[in-house]
Amino acid sequence: MSTILRGVVFDMDGLLLDSERYVQMAWDLGGERIGWGALGHNIVHTLGMNHDRRRAYFLEKYGEEFPYDRFCEAYRAAFHELTREHGVPRKEGGLELMRFLQKHGVRMAVATSSSDEYAVRSLKKVGFLPYLDGVVTGGMVEHSKPHPESYLRACELLGLAPQDCMALEDAPNGIRAAHAAGMYPVMIPDLVKDTAPVDDLLFGKADSLHDVIPLIREHFELPE
């Protein structure tokens, strides 16, 4: 008998929002503005990390003298400049997937390392927020991905067991977190294309959010 899929938990940046490229450009601009050169290449090593873990990463790589707070101010200003006119675009297929899941009684949440203000504002702006039953942000958990806390918290908000839920991710740290939580991890690569380090943890892989609906139909029953 097929498993009933009762919940889906989405990562946000790079998965629902096409934001990682803007962040990468903002890190380049921010690094140059504080005199440390382009720093955008570091993003592939920090995907899924919260603010504290990113700080630790930069200080370990560049030394305790690295002006992390100034860098944050500079790149956030650059990010605002880059997205001021049009905002952060949503990834194709996301809205269609959420409508499909809602129609079939599948509950939905987001688990992101981003701040509450940025996450809620961004999800609302692109029309995703009304479909969600819960949002877990970086400030709501003690441990960021690859620790499973954010995904476990999202399942709690949905009132569902992790083994009844799928996690959609674009980065290896998120896949590790979802797998450790006991969910069905599906990777849709964004900036990080090489899935080899986590292939043995994946339930599935898709080229885009458009491909998730047929994957669900193939492997799961739906509540309604």
Side-chain angles (χ1 to χ4, degrees), residues 66-214:
F66 181 76
Y68 184 75
D69 291 333
R70 278 207 300 130
F71 169 62
C72 288
E73 292 177 6
Y75 91 70
R76 285 169 183 159
F79 183 83
H80 178 69
E81 293 165 11
L82 291 168
T83 60
R84 179 168 45 206
E85 185 173 356
H86 300 294
V88 179
R90 66 188 181 209
K91 285 291 192 86
E92 291 186 5
L95 200 56
E96 293 81 358
L97 175 56
M98 288 187 177
R99 287 170 176 163
F100 168 82
L101 294 171
Q102 185 183 67
K103 176 183 176 182
H104 290 281
V106 179
R107 294 172 64 79
M108 289 169 275
V110 158
T112 176
S113 61
S114 294
S115 69
D116 181 77
E117 180 184 1
Y118 167 72
V120 172
R121 182 179 70 246
S122 299
L123 291 166
K124 183 177 181 180
K125 192 166 187 175
V126 297
F128 289 147
L129 194 61
Y131 294 90
L132 299 171
D133 300 291
V135 178
V136 176
T137 60
M140 297 169 63
V141 296
E142 183 178 353
H143 306 288
S144 61
K145 304 170 186 176
H147 194 282
E149 184 181 2
S150 60
Y151 275 113
L152 292 172
R153 181 75 181 274
C155 292
E156 288 177 7
L157 289 179
L158 295 180
L160 298 172
Q163 59 265 31
D164 293 328
C165 300
M166 175 182 288
L168 298 179
E169 268 286 349
D170 68 294
N173 275 342
I175 292 297
R176 294 185 181 100
H179 180 267
M183 304 170 73
Y184 295 97
V186 174
M187 187 163 180
I188 305 172
D190 185 46
L191 292 183
V192 178
K193 303 298 184 185
D194 181 15
T195 65
V198 293
D199 275 347
D200 60 334
L201 307 181
L202 295 178
F203 174 76
K205 187 161 45 175
D207 292 328
S208 74
L209 290 169
H210 286 296
D211 301 317
V212 177
I213 293 176

Side-chain angles (χ1 to χ4, degrees), residues 4-109:
I4 298 176
L5 181 68
R6 301 190 182 278
V8 173
V9 181
F10 299 84
D11 178 46
M12 188 179 74
D13 292 296
L15 189 283
L16 287 176
L17 303 178
D18 195 14
S19 52
E20 302 292 18
R21 290 171 180 78
Y22 287 94
V23 174
Q24 189 172 34
M25 288 188 286
W27 282 17
D28 280 340
L29 291 170
E32 289 167 354
R33 289 174 184 178
I34 65 170
W36 283 72
L39 297 174
H41 60 280
N42 289 287
I43 194 172
V44 298
H45 303 295
T46 63
L47 294 173
M49 291 183 180
N50 62 17
H51 181 80
D52 290 338
R53 286 197 67 212
R54 279 196 299 271
R55 176 192 293 273
Y57 167 86
F58 275 96
L59 295 182
E60 180 179 350
K61 179 164 184 177
Y62 294 105
E64 293 293 328
E65 71 276 13
F66 181 76
Y68 184 75
D69 291 333
R70 278 207 300 130
F71 169 62
C72 288
E73 292 177 6
Y75 91 70
R76 285 169 183 159
F79 183 83
H80 178 69
E81 293 165 11
L82 291 168
T83 60
R84 179 168 45 206
E85 185 173 356
H86 300 294
V88 179
R90 66 188 181 209
K91 285 291 192 86
E92 291 186 5
L95 200 56
E96 293 81 358
L97 175 56
M98 288 187 177
R99 287 170 176 163
F100 168 82
L101 294 171
Q102 185 183 67
K103 176 183 176 182
H104 290 281
V106 179
R107 294 172 64 79
M108 289 169 275

